[in-house]
Amino acid sequence: MQLVRVEGRIEGDFSAGVDFLRTQSFVDTERIGALGICGSGSFVISAAKIDPRIKAVATVSMYDMGGATRNGLGHSVTPEQRQAALAQAAAQRDVEFTGGPTEFTGGTPEQLTDQSGPIAREFYDFYRTARGSSPDTTTQPTLSSNVKFMNFYPFNDIGAISPRPMLFIAGENAHSREFTEEAYRLAGNRKELVIVPGAGHVDLYDRTDLIPFDKLTEFYTRNLT
């Protein structure tokens, strides 16, 4: 079961990590950067907005989990559909509170069908194959908790991260590219945008021939020296 705990991902994945690093004798406490991939790209932005100890921020194949839940890709979700999703999640909370079965929503399908679209197939090729599968994890959140993302606005006040530098990386063909470009547009000074030719969204998870390691190395070296 995967419960959506937005604040936990920001605090536990990033600020708590900085807490630990700053206690290590081999770490320069003024040279700590952070990287967020996919949904964690929006979490690292949220963490950096309130944690000035993060001195440089990069995202790769970023998903704005709030925007994707509220609006869908390309703002395809209507206000009526959004309200229906909220009502469904609220009703499910009542079911689960009284001991009823847990329901799941979204995430990567367990099986592909003739109706599976290209995005589902792209995620399936990673999360349901040897590339990224794990028997102990799931990408499917609970129906009752997933709507918490509708109250998540990582790009609000993103400019407050400035003058700390930000690097945004996305694939040329990524279905999620809109989120990276929007974050770049709203960010303050000292920002860079890198579009990787020929790459999709999931390609930048593990395709070492496409991931711009040189650019990431140069970004952190230059800004954490």
Side-chain angles (χ1 to χ4, degrees):
M1 180 186 301
Q2 182 182 18
L3 296 175
V4 172
R5 296 187 175 95
V6 179
E7 291 303 320
R9 296 184 183 188
I10 296 166
E11 168 67 22
D13 292 351
F14 292 102
S15 288
V18 175
D19 293 342
F20 173 77
L21 288 172
R22 287 171 64 88
T23 67
Q24 305 305 299
S25 60
F26 59 87
V27 173
D28 184 334
T29 59
E30 296 305 308
R31 297 176 61 191
I32 297 175
L35 168 67
I37 301 172
C38 192
S40 288
S42 58
F43 303 145
V44 74
I45 288 172
S46 293
K49 287 192 298 184
I50 60 173
D51 194 337
R53 302 174 303 170
I54 299 174
K55 302 301 184 181
V57 179
T59 71
V60 175
S61 289
M62 178 175 55
Y63 244 83
D64 171 3
M65 297 303 296
T69 305
R70 283 188 302 275
N71 306 314
L73 294 172
H75 288 254
S76 57
V77 173
T78 67
E80 293 76 18
Q81 289 172 319
R82 187 181 306 123
Q83 292 302 315
L86 290 171
Q88 186 182 19
Q92 180 61 27
R93 288 180 68 99
D94 290 336
V95 171
E96 293 175 11
F97 187 78
T98 56
T102 301
E103 294 290 338
F104 298 89
T105 183
T108 305
E110 295 291 340
Q111 299 291 333
L112 294 178
T113 70
D114 293 341
Q115 308 304 314
S116 299
I119 296 175
R121 293 178 182 277
E122 181 181 11
F123 281 120
Y124 183 94
D125 191 50
F126 182 83
Y127 288 109
R128 300 292 180 249
T129 70
R131 287 176 67 188
S133 66
S134 171
D136 299 321
T137 60
T138 178
T139 65
Q140 294 181 309
T142 64
L143 173 62
S144 58
S145 70
N146 191 59
V147 293
K148 293 179 182 179
F149 279 132
M150 290 200 189
N151 207 30
F152 178 49
Y153 294 84
F155 297 168
N156 283 6
D157 297 323
I158 188 175
I161 296 173
S162 180
R164 289 171 289 158
M166 302 190 74
L167 171 64
F168 302 96
I169 298 174
E172 176 186 21
N173 304 319
H175 65 267
S176 58
R177 180 173 167 177
E178 62 183 279
F179 302 126
T180 292
E181 292 180 332
E182 177 70 357
Y184 175 76
R185 182 182 71 82
L186 295 171
N189 299 325
R190 299 186 70 192
K191 59 185 177 182
E192 300 176 65
L193 175 65
V194 174
I195 302 299
V196 181
H201 175 87
V202 173
D203 286 333
L204 299 184
Y205 290 5
D206 65 341
R207 289 280 303 277
T208 56
D209 56 323
L210 291 175
I211 298 170
F213 290 111
D214 289 349
K215 180 59 186 177
L216 285 162
T217 300
E218 184 274 333
F219 171 76
Y220 287 119
T221 300
R222 170 165 46 90
N223 291 297
L224 296 178
T225 298

